[in-house]
Amino acid sequence: MHILTQSLLSFVLLLALAWGLTALWVQAPGGQGLRMIWMGLWAASVLAGLASLWVQHRYAVPARWTLAAAAMMLAVWWISLTPSNQRDWTDDVARSLTGRVQGSVVTLHNIRNFDWRSDTDYTVRWQDASYDLDTLQSVDMALSHWMGPAIAHTLVSFGFTDGRHLAFSVEIRKERHESFSTVGGFFKQFERSIIASEERDILYVRAGPRGEQLFLYPIHMPQAAMRQLFLAYVDSANRLADAPQFYNTVTANCTTLVYDMVRPIVPGLPMDIRLILSGYLPEYLYRHGGLDTRQPLAVLRAQGDITQRAAQAGPGADFSTRVRQ
């Protein structure tokens, strides 16, 4: 039993070592040199504590107290990392979406409507617009595969009887010196952003300039549920504008946050690994009646591949019509 206890404590310390080293590498201040010093001090403290479990010597107790102090300082530093809305953001996430609801009409501020010529060459345009939820007629899920079949970015697009389509996307909010990092998404590197955008912007840039594979799936959802989901996005955006939150690669990403919004609307939806491996989200939706089950999923996937049409349509005003032909 003594050996088993020591082994379990050793395993916990090794996990703490790996977590602390990664957190310090991603977030520790002071540049690479100082970062390496912090990592070295943490590693030395943990390894000394680990040795004290197995080798009894006069330094065992001081080593454990040193480890406890180092762990306390690491925890205090980690807790001190708080999200902010005031940073030097990249242009595509520079503004915070907000909305105001008056009866059935929702007025949104800071809708993105860029003209993209390449991923780095674009015309910045933010706009305000109003949407009457009584004219809401469709919900589509867009999946943009950017790293193999299992990994996709999830967007939800709402269609109105006047022909407009507005897409919502939960994204990382990058600063100008940052680039996307899956590991960084676990360690408070990015804030969370909700973007509302014209499809000619947010879908075109993925299929066109970024060369991602883009699928569009019509979702089976009653009009009342569509309305609730739209309002859930607006409410989430307003709360983020007031109180920023960190993005998390697993617990608070582009798919799990949509699931959190849909779950109160469609009770009983189970958690599933496909909410993380979102490239397989169509299988999940098909199984639970979110897609048209009168056709095989393979047919829906083939029909939903709009990559070529979206890239060829360009960022024109008729983009949404052309990709749905």
Side-chain angles (χ1 to χ4, degrees), residues 41-267:
L41 291 173
W42 173 245
S45 299
V46 175
L47 293 176
L50 183 63
S52 72
L53 292 175
W54 296 96
V55 180
Q56 296 301 318
H57 52 76
R58 61 178 178 170
Y59 299 113
V61 173
R64 293 170 188 175
W65 279 109
T66 299
L67 173 58
M72 181 65 70
M73 288 188 289
L74 184 68
V76 170
W77 165 74
W78 181 253
I79 293 171
S80 72
L81 299 177
T82 55
S84 173
N85 279 331
Q86 307 301 319
R87 304 192 195 278
D88 185 18
W89 308 112
T90 57
D91 292 331
D92 58 331
V93 291
R95 298 195 186 185
S96 297
L97 174 70
T98 59
R100 185 179 72 256
V101 182
Q102 295 177 302
S104 66
V105 177
V106 179
T107 300
L108 298 178
H109 305 283
N110 296 322
I111 299 169
R112 201 181 78 192
N113 190 16
F114 285 20
D115 284 323
W116 297 90
R117 291 172 290 277
S118 73
D119 202 21
T120 57
D121 181 17
Y122 47 81
T123 300
V124 174
R125 184 188 300 109
W126 298 90
Q127 64 190 34
D128 300 341
S130 295
Y131 298 85
D132 187 347
L133 298 186
D134 287 341
T135 67
L136 185 56
Q137 68 174 2
S138 66
V139 171
D140 297 314
M141 179 188 70
L143 288 179
S144 187
H145 292 256
W146 55 275
M147 193 175 70
I151 305 299
H153 183 73
T154 304
L155 308 93
V156 176
S157 184
F158 295 85
F160 296 83
T161 55
D162 61 4
R164 290 186 296 171
H165 290 266
L166 183 73
F168 287 91
S169 175
V170 178
E171 303 193 0
I172 64 170
R173 201 171 189 189
K174 298 195 303 285
E175 298 176 64
R176 291 192 183 276
H177 65 277
E178 292 179 324
S179 58
F180 177 75
S181 166
T182 302
V183 174
F186 285 102
F187 291 93
K188 296 185 178 181
Q189 184 174 356
F190 308 111
E191 277 81 0
R192 188 191 315 163
S193 177
I194 292 181
I195 298 294
S197 174
E198 297 280 342
E199 285 187 341
R200 62 177 294 277
D201 168 339
I202 204 163
L203 296 188
Y204 169 69
V205 70
R206 290 182 174 275
R210 296 179 186 171
E212 299 175 9
Q213 190 174 20
L214 187 64
F215 293 83
L216 194 66
Y217 297 93
I219 302 299
H220 280 186
M221 184 176 284
Q223 210 273 350
M226 297 180 195
R227 185 186 189 115
Q228 286 179 269
L229 182 56
F230 191 100
L231 292 174
Y233 269 109
V234 176
D235 180 64
S236 297
N238 284 336
R239 285 189 280 112
L240 274 183
D242 292 335
Q245 299 289 328
F246 283 119
Y247 178 93
N248 186 281
T249 302
V250 170
T251 62
N253 61 40
C254 62
T255 306
T256 58
L257 291 172
V258 177
Y259 171 78
D260 290 341
M261 288 185 277
V262 171
R263 187 171 51 179
I265 301 170
V266 186

